[in-house]
Amino acid sequence: MLMTADQYLDSIRTRGIAVWFRGEKLPNPVDHPVTFPPANCLAETYRMALAPDTRDLLTGRSPLTGEATNVANLLWTSREDLLKRMEWERLVGRRTARGALRSPGLDALNALAIVTRRVDRARGTEYRARFDAFLRAVHEHDWALSGAMTDPRGDRSRGPSQQIDPDLYLRVVARRRDGVVLRGAKAHQTSACHSHWHLVLPLGCREGEEDWAIAAAVPSNAPGLFHLYSRQPGDDRRTERADLDVGLPDFGGCESLLVFDDVFVPNERIFLNGETPWTRDLVHYFGSFHRHCYGGCKVGIADVLIGAAAAVAEMHGVLDRPIVQDKLTEMVHLTETMYACGVAASALGRMEEDVFIPDLALAQVTKLNVTRFPFEIARLAADLAGGTMTTLPAEGDLRHPELGKLVRKFMATRAGVDPEDRMRILRLLEFLTHGMGSTYFLHESLHGAGAPEAMRITLRKEIDLAPLVANAKALARCADA
Amino acid sequence: MLMTADQYLDSIRTRGIAVWFRGEKLPNPVDHPVTFPPANCLAETYRMALAPDTRDLLTGRSPLTGEATNVANLLWTSREDLLKRMEWERLVGRRTARGALRSPGLDALNALAIVTRRVDRARGTEYRARFDAFLRAVHEHDWALSGAMTDPRGDRSRGPSQQIDPDLYLRVVARRRDGVVLRGAKAHQTSACHSHWHLVLPLGCREGEEDWAIAAAVPSNAPGLFHLYSRQPGDDRRTERADLDVGLPDFGGCESLLVFDDVFVPNERIFLNGETPWTRDLVHYFGSFHRHCYGGCKVGIADVLIGAAAAVAEMHGVLDRPIVQDKLTEMVHLTETMYACGVAASALGRMEEDVFIPDLALAQVTKLNVTRFPFEIARLAADLAGGTMTTLPAEGDLRHPELGKLVRKFMATRAGVDPEDRMRILRLLEFLTHGMGSTYFLHESLHGAGAPEAMRITLRKEIDLAPLVANAKALARCADA
Amino acid sequence: MLMTADQYLDSIRTRGIAVWFRGEKLPNPVDHPVTFPPANCLAETYRMALAPDTRDLLTGRSPLTGEATNVANLLWTSREDLLKRMEWERLVGRRTARGALRSPGLDALNALAIVTRRVDRARGTEYRARFDAFLRAVHEHDWALSGAMTDPRGDRSRGPSQQIDPDLYLRVVARRRDGVVLRGAKAHQTSACHSHWHLVLPLGCREGEEDWAIAAAVPSNAPGLFHLYSRQPGDDRRTERADLDVGLPDFGGCESLLVFDDVFVPNERIFLNGETPWTRDLVHYFGSFHRHCYGGCKVGIADVLIGAAAAVAEMHGVLDRPIVQDKLTEMVHLTETMYACGVAASALGRMEEDVFIPDLALAQVTKLNVTRFPFEIARLAADLAGGTMTTLPAEGDLRHPELGKLVRKFMATRAGVDPEDRMRILRLLEFLTHGMGSTYFLHESLHGAGAPEAMRITLRKEIDLAPLVANAKALARCADA
Amino acid sequence: MLMTADQYLDSIRTRGIAVWFRGEKLPNPVDHPVTFPPANCLAETYRMALAPDTRDLLTGRSPLTGEATNVANLLWTSREDLLKRMEWERLVGRRTARGALRSPGLDALNALAIVTRRVDRARGTEYRARFDAFLRAVHEHDWALSGAMTDPRGDRSRGPSQQIDPDLYLRVVARRRDGVVLRGAKAHQTSACHSHWHLVLPLGCREGEEDWAIAAAVPSNAPGLFHLYSRQPGDDRRTERADLDVGLPDFGGCESLLVFDDVFVPNERIFLNGETPWTRDLVHYFGSFHRHCYGGCKVGIADVLIGAAAAVAEMHGVLDRPIVQDKLTEMVHLTETMYACGVAASALGRMEEDVFIPDLALAQVTKLNVTRFPFEIARLAADLAGGTMTTLPAEGDLRHPELGKLVRKFMATRAGVDPEDRMRILRLLEFLTHGMGSTYFLHESLHGAGAPEAMRITLRKEIDLAPLVANAKALARCADA
């Protein structure tokens, strides 16, 4: 049964999720002015799943329940599923200027479906059956899931078992007949505080690191679980209720450090437990799937920047100048190149077990471009915005009875353009190029789903150079060809 | 009936095609050492259409004859056709380090199929029936076709009718009951001198420029038709028969200026004749289709550069260095990005009339990337090749009884590496980065299917910014949103 | 007489400068937590002018008073002056992570020195004598000056006299025997609210726009003058007194909209008054001088990013990795390239009137590189910082008695690294890459001293292509060479 | 005594220099159509040293002879010497589209002056006195010198003593009372075959590799010495005497492999002999000095490309289009950035022993930019040139009595433009972008004076990050700052 957006927000509001922000515990993760826009962004995926014009794109039929289910919770079974994903990710990104916050959960589901089956086959475990049971419940309740992989990691040159504190990677600290107890943390948790469940996944573990090789589903209200909510530049403009200054009043993104202070997980929610060889598979699939999705969701945000930059150019009376058109074209070109990579990875996908996965080399390529192009798109948007974007007076000045007239006077451009509208668009551009939104449009684009180096190493492994070397030698008529 | 490669070469050899090179008329366009490698490259598409391992990829069934037909002559009817195109274009590019020289003909066929139908509908003409009859003959004879659009153009700031010489755009100089007489030239004719027929297409014409609005099929041995074969840097190494110095001894590309010295074309081979409004459609479709194909064929050549660069690094003992791997990875990344664009344009294609065409915005995006990335790929390949690529002794030195020993002595690297093999790979890299092959890997990548500006203008038109502007304004809560 | 930093701050505190921030009037422009760091940054230039280790670099002898004077107020008379400028601009930038806020005033002084002399010669005016008298007072009082050129400009496709409101460019609204009355505003006023005087300069005016062609010195406490202080992303972290969250607690930059609500200027402070042909000279010189200085001051900020990125890499245990070193090297390379441009423009300068000016082509080149490289430097810094930079818990969490332990636990890296230090460096990186500091490191780098297009147009004019064309034709042995 | 250009050419013609090209021994290294243009390019430096308009720039006074001496043979003693160097290198580059082929010799002289003095001080040798005696003779005879450092190097992962053949690095194979015997080769020898003497320098040697640690002056006609002359793409167009097809008929560059087949060197010409610790100094200084000079000489070639591209745009009637102007501006911007780096390295130089050397960090920065920008400059030039550059008919076609008319007809553009002139300029562009000239404008720019990696490693060493780290920590108020 699909929830409405309001039902979703209520369900999170009342779930008892523990969130701390700036040293204070929030009553709930929804109603604070800083946390509402991200919650509302996630709610948008519920809204769109029911709205007539987007329903088809945002839902599919669950093979487990036979009912309409949000695409964010479905295993992929065909090329069309992945092509569709690029489309809905982009649309959600465009509608919210933030994107589909349920993607990590979706990627975790699909990665687990593959890997649990393989572990079962090799080790005689029954992880996939447990996973299927959990997935059926997800579909029945229309839950929002987060995917939790990245540990704090401490010294990056050392593995889980070599840190000064073993908890720097999440681990099993006690094993009971009915389950395990987890201690540690997961970092960079996108919208986890607005999710019903977390899909916990391990980073790569070696033999001897069995305690860190744990995958499980954990309810977001489990005892011992809490969030340290991350700050973003400009976040307290939301607290001020200065909506104009905020730039994007209705939506936003959030991250948190999710702490596991001895959290119990029952056996039926455990999907990997000490089988270290498969941790690397999970990293590989989850990372690659998530890299793929950037070819949709970040593209939608880029669409917003293109629209905002064009809006400003029009307000300034320069939209038709060749050089302005040329910069807009470049923004479009870079944006469509990112999208093309995501689409191509979908089109050239293949079945692994019962999941249709994107082409893994192109998934890396997609994300690598996303680690670069948004910075140039933002630079071009800022170029078109002009210096006023960075020196705008505050909404407080605009609302002031005396000053307000002067603000309007000096923010005026062409006849017919409302100076406040111009300020609004410029604040939206500020938000995305160097405010709260740049946190995710630029910097999460860089580091989400792994640092650029992770993609490069994976890409290099995915492409076998030997046949290319042999082919080149044959063309040059080398003796050893 | 599919021809063998030898049958193809014979058919061109004996067709009576007039080709001039450096002021001399060639006996035929096949057997000169400079012209053979390009002929052989085209022959490779015949070879691969019959070879067991590539037959399926290089052929399809003709709906006109019901028989296996080379993909280079087939109208596209599905997404799969276009995805397959990317694959065979890349493979031919990789196998030959040159690419599928029949692409302009293929693009011309598909563009004509759409436009003839539209003109017929609007004007009551019967161009499509004529076209279908011609196409059936093409399939029956397995002919190689060239696509001939670009006129010499003279002053680029003026149109066909405003030039100092009206022949600077190909035009009808006489109209007879049974056909027309053409005068002028078509420039940059890729492999036209190795084709059986030319598909002549017009550039954009305005009202009053009816004489230039001509599309037709012209046999390559038509009286009055001849080629001025273009020089490329290093071409006379082929004349010297210095195969090692050549770098790519077996394959190559060629261009010519195709002169129409009053060539008669009978009515049944005319597919547009004065209907100026449709000339822009032909330019748009032909140009965009051809831009799309660069996402396959140039990618195959990039594969050769990657293989050759890796081969050199291995010979030099540095393949495992992180920085070398990083550069190879960057070459792969750029190459796959180009390919992804071509694949995505295929995947997001649509039917126009009875032809499945690529997404036209992404076709521009594909080619725009191809105007940039090969230069960086070549730069990275040259970086990995080292300075020796540019200061190699000649094959003559290597073959000299005394000097040869010294050449081998000083070209040696690691034990087990044949110094001559190293020289061969370096010459291949020279060929592709700044020799004959750079003509097409770099410079045709820049200008083929139109200059970069043409793509930018088309891309800008294909993307409607209005909804993006409205969306941005809504997100910023503008009053006029 | 050089002021101490404290004397300077007192002098601004008590000067009666009117500043509004978020709709409220500040008691003074110094003591608010948001305004203090920028004031302190300007104070640093006073501090360094007296400190033994920087005194020689930051001062020179005034030919007007014969005494030591801050370099920020001196006319340039030699190549050494300009080379020295690059050095002190960089040092101040490095020391403050913000830069020398007095540069616009310095550039305005030097531009006025040249242009007043020229107008006097052509029109028999006495502007230069007035200017010299003012400059002597500046040296005597060690005043901080701002340079105020950019008007709000409204519709960018129209000039001063064609706007919907004539005040969109600052103008003379009344002429009295003893002076003029100014109305309008100057935008993007860097540190103007911490200056003693403003040097008002016009943008380019045509014949008939004499009322807008005004240059003058205006005291910052003139009746009718007030500032709308601009917001920057993250500015209210300063209000929270969350120094750690701020990232750069001691320094910062500020911009304001400086409103002239009918401000009287006496004749002896007027340096141009209606001589429209020279407005373009002022724009050209002031703009170019200011572009030149970016080759020093932004370089100093880049030095801070390099240092911070290296510090993080060390804390994370990855400083020695080849790929980390490679990225640091790229940051250094880009930084030094910017600096090199500034140095070269100094080295190839020339005398104009009695001022030694930088090479004007290279001044544009300097700034053009500064419109690009900081974005890539910031991207690389963010790459090295890792995702934690964007998901840090708040200082409030760290200071919380219970949570604090967990924050420290999970922010730990290598033994010996204080987790709080790590958070501090990451917040500094956030500040400069997408917080308050990115306002000036990225976006002012783009638009300060004019948009990129302004540099491109000027550069194109500075370089005469005719001799290059002639030279190329001669080398190719063209008939018309 | 300065030689005239003719005297210089005669002196080389008659010197008995052994050169092999394509397996044949040349009678002399001057008069072959392939070798003459490079010889003439070197002769240009003699011509300019006597021509009234360039004499002052190309000469200086020798402190050893007191007479006017070519700048290519002078030790640097001041900042002005280095600034002047940038200027004359650029001018020679612009005049010849090739550059100052005597630069490696000049760099070797200055490196040896420093290092010989240091070895003498440490080891009590008398190398500097020998060097001074040699230098006086150079000034007296106005000899052209080459600098010979790069050995063939075999396996790049191994040093001189670890190769499969010890001769892969030039070495001493016999020691006699009066001198030493050298065996091996020096690769990539720019214009060495047109020099009177070679300055042989070692690559870096470790303890135990004394036999490879040899520096000396060797006359170009020494018994046992000979050249294998390198091929470049398009070189045999020179043999055809097709001057139009050549593109740059009068000038060119050349490289050779210089073989030492047991060459005796007397003691008085030996400047280092086994003192391995100083080999790295020689590499460091010679490499850095040579990297510095690229900021002048390649810039001059870029000037030719800018001129040629502008010439074509004018011929095509599109010079005034904004997008054309924008591309030319970008070419200028990149060119001037390279020059700025060279100038800045000069301006910030310092004395080392009695030689004024460029700033070594900026020397690396200069060359690093030169490894990148020429590729983009060439791409932009090709963009402006249009496709015709790559599909031009041959000069043979133009000279043919019948065809010639048609070539002129179809190569026509605007009234008043000679079609042959257009072809000439396009061939010059071909020459520099992917013909013979690209060998040095693109590929020597990449690898000359070491591969890009060499610059990156040196740059990283030249910049001490510790103070930057400390500064960043202080700004962030780190506890350990």
Side-chain angles (χ1 to χ4, degrees), chain C residues 55-176:
Chain C
R55 190 169 49 195
D56 289 348
L57 190 60
L58 268 283
T59 59
R61 195 146 304 274
S62 161
L64 299 170
T65 67
E67 299 202 345
T69 303
N70 197 297
V71 284
N73 285 337
L74 285 171
L75 301 187
W76 310 307
T77 59
S78 69
R79 174 196 278 174
E80 292 311 317
D81 283 351
L82 291 184
L83 286 171
K84 190 174 165 184
R85 183 182 192 188
M86 288 300 101
E87 201 176 344
W88 64 258
E89 293 267 11
R90 183 173 189 168
L91 184 64
V92 176
R94 188 188 286 193
R95 286 268 183 104
T96 60
R98 171 56 185 102
L101 303 166
R102 296 164 73 179
S103 300
L106 174 57
D107 296 314
L109 282 180
N110 281 277
L112 282 168
I114 296 170
V115 174
T116 50
R117 179 167 284 195
R118 289 195 184 157
V119 181
D120 288 353
R121 197 157 50 223
R123 295 283 174 95
T125 46
E126 298 185 348
Y127 292 135
R128 179 61 188 262
R130 289 180 186 174
F131 172 81
D132 285 343
F134 171 70
L135 185 57
R136 169 187 290 269
V138 169
H139 290 185
E140 283 165 355
H141 294 88
D142 198 17
W143 282 328
L145 308 178
S146 84
M149 177 172 271
T150 310
D151 303 282
R153 297 203 320 288
D155 183 338
R156 268 70 169 153
S157 66
R158 296 163 184 271
S161 59
Q162 302 167 308
Q163 299 291 331
I164 53 176
D165 176 350
D167 304 343
L168 282 165
Y169 284 71
L170 181 76
R171 64 182 178 122
V172 174
V173 289
R175 299 183 179 278
R176 293 167 24 185

Side-chain angles (χ1 to χ4, degrees), chain A residues 118-422:
Chain A
R118 289 192 183 159
V119 180
D120 288 353
R121 197 156 52 223
R123 295 282 173 94
T125 47
E126 297 184 348
Y127 292 136
R128 179 60 189 261
R130 289 180 186 173
F131 171 80
D132 285 343
F134 171 71
L135 185 58
R136 169 187 288 269
V138 169
H139 290 184
E140 283 166 356
H141 294 89
D142 198 18
W143 283 327
L145 309 178
S146 84
M149 178 170 272
T150 310
D151 303 282
R153 297 202 321 290
D155 183 338
R156 269 69 170 156
S157 66
R158 296 163 183 273
S161 59
Q162 303 167 307
Q163 297 292 331
I164 53 175
D165 176 351
D167 303 343
L168 281 165
Y169 285 71
L170 183 75
R171 65 184 179 122
V172 175
V173 290
R175 298 185 179 278
R176 294 166 27 183
R177 183 172 309 168
D178 56 344
V180 300
V181 176
L182 301 181
R183 187 185 299 160
K186 291 290 185 181
H188 322 319
Q189 290 304 294
T190 304
S191 284
C193 69
H194 299 130
S195 300
H196 301 92
W197 285 78
H198 311 302
L199 287 167
V200 172
L201 304 175
L203 286 172
C205 301
R206 294 161 191 269
E207 214 183 313
E209 297 180 330
E210 284 71 19
D211 287 345
W212 290 272
I214 185 77
V218 181
S220 56
N221 55 359
L225 211 56
F226 61 91
H227 298 261
L228 300 181
Y229 193 95
S230 314
R231 302 208 64 176
Q232 296 173 337
D235 50 12
D236 32 22
R237 291 190 192 173
R238 296 209 190 269
T239 324
E240 295 173 31
R241 306 280 183 177
D243 280 353
L244 190 158
D245 286 359
V246 159
L248 185 69
D250 297 320
F251 300 108
C254 71
E255 306 282 336
S256 61
L257 180 73
L258 177 56
V259 179
F260 290 73
D261 195 8
D262 290 3
V263 174
F264 174 73
V265 183
N267 288 331
E268 63 268 26
R269 298 300 189 212
I270 296 177
F271 310 136
L272 191 83
N273 191 352
E275 294 83 358
T276 54
W278 283 273
T279 57
R280 294 191 185 275
D281 267 21
L282 278 172
V283 171
H284 184 48
Y285 286 122
F286 173 72
S288 297
F289 297 167
H290 199 42
R291 285 160 202 166
H292 177 224
C293 90
Y294 280 67
C297 74
K298 299 303 181 194
V299 171
I301 308 175
D303 285 339
V304 176
L305 272 162
I306 294 168
V312 169
E314 193 173 43
M315 289 169 172
H316 288 185
V318 296
L319 183 58
D320 292 333
R321 289 198 188 162
I323 209 69
V324 168
Q325 287 294 319
D326 196 58
K327 285 172 184 171
L328 286 169
T329 303
E330 184 64 17
M331 293 173 76
V332 166
H333 167 66
L334 295 171
T335 299
E336 297 299 331
T337 298
M338 295 191 289
Y339 191 58
C341 292
V343 167
S346 303
L348 301 186
R350 64 170 188 273
M351 295 300 296
E352 290 271 318
E353 305 300 332
D354 55 345
V355 176
F356 191 90
I357 70 167
D359 181 85
L360 295 179
L362 291 184
Q364 318 305 321
V365 168
T366 301
K367 178 70 204 311
L368 267 179
N369 283 321
V370 175
T371 65
R372 300 172 178 177
F373 294 174
F375 287 82
E376 179 63 4
I377 291 168
R379 198 183 71 86
L380 289 166
D383 185 345
L384 292 171
T388 310
M389 175 180 76
T390 63
T391 65
L392 277 179
E395 179 166 12
D397 299 327
L398 180 72
R399 304 290 174 229
H400 186 281
E402 300 299 312
L403 291 179
K405 290 172 210 158
L406 283 163
V407 171
R408 294 186 63 87
K409 176 183 178 77
F410 290 117
M411 289 298 117
T413 53
R414 295 189 302 117
V417 174
D418 180 346
E420 182 172 333
D421 276 4
R422 181 185 170 217

Side-chain angles (χ1 to χ4, degrees), chain B residues 290-291 294 367 371 443-451 455, chain D residues 387:
Chain B
H290 199 43
R291 285 159 202 166
Y294 280 65
K367 177 71 204 310
T371 66
H443 296 284
E444 185 194 289
S445 290
L446 193 51
H447 282 291
M455 282 124 239

Side-chain angles (χ1 to χ4, degrees), chain A residues 441-454:
Chain A
F441 182 60
L442 300 182
H443 297 284
E444 185 195 288
S445 290
L446 192 51
H447 282 290
E453 227 38 46

Side-chain angles (χ1 to χ4, degrees), chain D residues 392-412:
Chain D
L392 278 180
E395 180 166 11
D397 298 327
L398 180 72
R399 303 291 173 230
H400 186 280
E402 299 299 312
L403 291 179
K405 290 172 210 157
L406 284 163
V407 171
R408 294 186 64 87
K409 176 182 178 77
F410 291 117
M411 289 299 118

Side-chain angles (χ1 to χ4, degrees), chain C residues 391-436:
Chain C
T391 66
L392 278 180
E395 179 166 13
D397 298 327
L398 180 72
R399 304 290 174 229
H400 186 280
E402 300 299 313
L403 291 179
K405 290 172 209 158
L406 284 162
V407 172
R408 293 186 64 86
K409 176 184 177 76
F410 291 117
M411 290 298 117
T413 54
R414 296 186 303 117
V417 173
D418 180 346
E420 182 172 332
D421 276 4
R422 182 185 170 217
M423 292 175 71
R424 287 187 170 280
I425 286 285
L426 289 171
R427 283 289 179 205
L428 173 59
L429 282 162
E430 180 197 51
F431 179 92
L432 288 171
T433 60
H434 61 298
M436 294 186 78

